[in-house]
Amino acid sequence: MLDDCKERARTTDQLVGLTELFFPGHVVTIDAESAKKNWPDRAVAADLIRASRDRLATLEPWEDKAIETALKALATERGVGTSPLFQMIRVAVTGKSVGISVTHTIFRLGKVVTLQNIDSALQWLAQAPPA
């Protein structure tokens, strides 16, 4: 995991920002600018994030490639691009719009933490004032 993060980080502060998510007890905070950029239509974003959550909740085995395949299939089924969907999910899972591969992140966080983070993001979407 550290190797993945080192590829993206140019400074120690950036490295800390990329890795803090993986420490036990870390609470994800949604960055308002990342949300505004990647969730421009909150209803659409909530629907796609909820569908992603449902897909991930039933996914077995929990492997990086299986996560990627499941989410790409969802994007195709819903008629959305893979990149926009992955960015929506990245913000839901990490609170940020930058990081290591979203499928690596999801895999390394594990199913329980990933689903908890998505649930928190869905609550944020429902409660936050419009941008």
Side-chain angles (χ1 to χ4, degrees):
M1 184 248 333
L2 189 56
D3 288 337
D4 291 336
C5 294
K6 285 194 305 189
E7 289 179 14
R8 303 280 307 197
R10 291 188 181 94
T11 67
T12 303
D13 286 344
Q14 288 175 343
L15 185 60
V16 169
L18 289 171
T19 59
E20 68 186 354
L21 175 69
F22 299 100
F23 288 95
H26 176 75
V27 176
V28 170
T29 302
I30 302 294
D31 173 68
E33 286 302 312
S34 295
K36 183 178 178 180
K37 179 180 178 182
N38 294 286
W39 301 339
D41 182 325
R42 287 177 176 219
V44 169
D47 179 56
L48 289 169
I49 293 167
R50 192 172 295 106
S52 299
R53 186 212 186 280
D54 293 346
R55 188 70 53 102
L56 292 170
T58 60
L59 185 65
E60 292 295 334
W62 191 260
E63 296 173 348
D64 189 22
K65 189 65 177 167
I67 293 165
E68 181 179 3
T69 300
L71 294 176
K72 282 184 175 181
L74 177 64
T76 299
E77 291 165 20
R78 292 299 188 98
V80 298
T82 302
S83 293
L85 177 65
F86 279 25
Q87 278 301 105
M88 287 182 195
I89 297 166
R90 176 190 307 285
V91 175
V93 172
T94 69
K96 302 173 185 176
S97 58
V98 275
I100 64 170
S101 159
V102 69
T103 59
H104 289 347
T105 300
I106 290 169
F107 170 68
R108 293 183 195 293
L109 283 175
K111 186 181 281 190
V112 171
V113 172
T114 295
L115 297 179
Q116 288 171 345
N117 291 357
I118 291 173
D119 290 342
S120 294
L122 289 168
Q123 287 178 347
W124 188 94
L125 273 166
Q127 296 172 359

